Amino acid sequence: MLDLPWRIPLYIPFRAIGWPRLLPLNVTVSVTDRCNSRCQTCNIWRKKPADELTTEEFDRVFRSLGRAPYWFTFSGGEPFLRRDLEDLCGSAYQHCQPAIINIPSNGLLHRQIPDRVSEIARRCADSQVIINFSLDGVGERHDEIRGIPGNFKRVIDAFQKVKAIDAPNLTVGLHTVISVFNLAEFEDVYAFVHDLEPDSFVTEIAEERVELGTVGAGITPSADDYARVIDFLSEQLREQAFGGISRITQALRLVYYDLVKRIIREKRQVIPCYAGWLSAHILPTGEVWECAVMSTSMGNLRDVDCDLRRLWFSKRASQVRRAVKTRGCYCPVANTSYTNMMCHPPSALRIGLHVIKGRAG
């Protein structure tokens, strides 16, 4: 992936004039809608069972992408409910050689997850494997928000066991969704997380998204309330020094936090959105979206023999991209925002300066 610095700018003319035609760098793969949590901030568990793509079908999808993707996120639902998750990660690694494979988890399968993570790290030896466990509160408060008694103990057990795995390409973090349910307790959550010493700690604002079934749910904090939390978190980040992949994550998060505050306050997409150009979202059923918020289908992979190229460069995909430019939507989705920032020179420069300094002051 040494060619990444010169590949990213090519997406600017791709978005502007449709050339050069490029496959996505950032691919989110929802491997299942099944979930064993019952979160107040997500209703994906209410979805009816889907006819999920098989291991072999996903293999064909990854083969069609070639070496284009830099970053894969294998999400759900709960991704570890897919018994073939190791095979899916291994297939993406074999065909695409991504630099990063990111897997979020609720940690409920705490007895199975450590061995499975170790196997994924082994199979994907030259990729940075990032496991982010969800932690939305401390003790019973986490269980209340996630809807499962005993979730807190299980996720802490899973985190500690995965953290103990001896794998040089493994990063183990914690992830908090900031919502109206835990806003007042966030500093307590942060203090608890700090004592656990994760490799990284990331937060994201609770969103009303089609994918999650939360449109109209009223789970998103106000702009002022969220800004106060983010100002606190940014101050804490600036007092720490990170190395390796965590240094890059730290820089991304600091710039991202400022961006989200502006998006929520101004209610507009304050920098150009590259969803549908630089990033893509694949559903368990094979539908391909530009993003998980507007959820506009470019088509189904099963209709094109699981060849993502055929959908990505189709007339329908061009129509979806035109809508991204004109519909006036805005959102703070982290994965999409990261890639947007990379194609926005002022944001990219800020990220680079933070990484070079090593200490985000």
Side-chain angles (χ1 to χ4, degrees):
M1 285 299 173
L2 296 176
D3 60 347
L4 185 65
W6 66 260
R7 287 175 62 200
I8 289 176
L10 294 177
Y11 284 87
I12 298 175
F14 181 31
R15 185 181 189 276
I17 61 174
W19 185 90
R21 300 199 309 173
L22 301 166
L23 289 166
L25 284 175
N26 183 353
V27 181
T28 296
V29 184
S30 292
V31 295
T32 184
D33 285 335
R34 290 174 286 142
C35 192
N36 44 4
S37 286
R38 300 293 182 265
C39 301
Q40 294 179 340
T41 56
C42 175
N43 291 317
I44 201 168
W45 56 274
R46 296 182 184 275
K47 287 187 176 183
K48 294 180 180 179
D51 182 16
E52 300 171 352
L53 293 179
T54 64
T55 311
E56 193 274 335
E57 286 175 317
F58 268 122
D59 185 75
R60 298 207 304 271
V61 174
F62 301 142
R63 189 185 307 127
S64 74
L65 281 166
R67 298 297 180 90
Y70 179 85
W71 182 310
F72 271 103
T73 296
F74 288 92
S75 69
E78 168 52 43
F80 283 99
L81 287 173
R82 283 279 307 223
R83 298 192 180 197
D84 60 350
L85 183 61
E86 297 93 319
D87 295 329
L88 298 183
C89 293
S91 173
Y93 178 77
Q94 176 189 351
H95 295 301
C96 307
Q97 293 291 300
I100 296 172
I101 294 175
N102 177 52
I103 307 173
S105 175
N106 59 31
L108 282 171
L109 299 175
H110 63 118
R111 292 187 178 92
Q112 303 174 20
I113 288 174
D115 287 342
R116 299 184 67 186
V117 169
S118 181
E119 176 64 11
I120 291 169
R122 185 191 67 80
R123 291 195 195 184
C124 307
D126 291 328
S127 291
Q128 189 70 33
V129 176
I130 302 173
I131 308 296
N132 278 321
F133 290 105
S134 298
L135 190 69
D136 292 342
V138 179
E140 293 183 0
R141 187 66 184 127
H142 175 77
D143 296 349
E144 292 171 4
I145 295 172
R146 307 293 294 189
I148 300 293
N151 190 334
F152 178 77
K153 290 183 179 179
R154 293 185 214 176
V155 72
I156 296 303
D157 182 59
F159 166 79
Q160 291 175 333
K161 288 177 178 176
V162 173
K163 189 76 163 57
I165 294 172
D166 182 16
N169 63 325
L170 180 62
T171 296
V172 187
L174 292 168
H175 175 274
T176 297
V177 175
I178 301 173
S179 69
V180 295
F181 305 112
N182 62 1
L183 187 72
E185 305 149 15
F186 179 75
E187 292 190 19
D188 293 334
V189 175
Y190 180 86
F192 181 81
V193 167
H194 185 269
D195 289 343
L196 288 176
E197 299 183 342
D199 296 325
S200 67
F201 176 50
V202 296
T203 68
E204 197 163 3
I205 191 169
E207 303 167 82
E208 297 186 9
R209 290 161 54 174
V210 171
E211 178 199 21
L212 304 181
T214 52
V215 176
I219 58 177
T220 307
S222 70
D224 289 341
D225 285 340
Y226 184 69
R228 282 194 290 273
V229 170
I230 291 308
D231 287 343
F232 165 78
L233 188 57
S234 297
E235 182 180 347
Q236 300 303 313
L237 272 177
R238 289 189 176 95
E239 293 178 357
Q240 301 176 56
F242 296 90
I245 191 71
S246 295
R247 178 186 297 184
I248 298 173
T249 302
Q250 175 198 35
L252 280 167
R253 299 307 294 190
L254 282 168
V255 179
Y256 167 71
Y257 291 148
D258 287 340
L259 179 65
V260 173
K261 285 196 298 183
R262 286 189 60 197
I263 290 172
I264 295 175
R265 182 167 287 117
E266 299 176 26
K267 299 186 184 303
R268 66 183 184 90
Q269 192 66 35
V270 298
I271 66 174
C273 181
Y274 281 79
W277 288 276
L278 209 152
S279 58
H281 192 118
I282 302 172
L283 273 64
T285 56
E287 291 292 316
V288 176
W289 290 347
E290 84 282 45
C291 69
V293 175
M294 299 307 295
S295 310
T296 312
S297 178
M298 294 181 176
N300 193 291
L301 287 161
R302 283 178 167 144
D303 295 333
V304 292
D305 196 29
C306 294
D307 185 349
L308 192 139
R309 288 174 178 267
R310 289 172 61 184
L311 288 187
W312 197 248
F313 299 128
S314 67
K315 181 178 179 181
R316 175 57 183 160
S318 296
Q319 293 170 342
V320 172
R321 293 185 186 108
R322 282 197 296 271
V324 172
K325 288 184 179 181
T326 60
R327 66 192 169 202
C329 60
Y330 60 92
C331 76
V333 175
N335 258 352
T336 304
S337 294
Y338 290 163
T339 49
N340 291 346
M341 291 186 301
M342 292 299 181
C343 284
H344 183 242
S347 297
L349 178 61
R350 290 181 61 202
I351 293 168
L353 289 174
H354 282 320
V355 172
I356 290 169
K357 288 191 293 185
R359 191 178 186 89

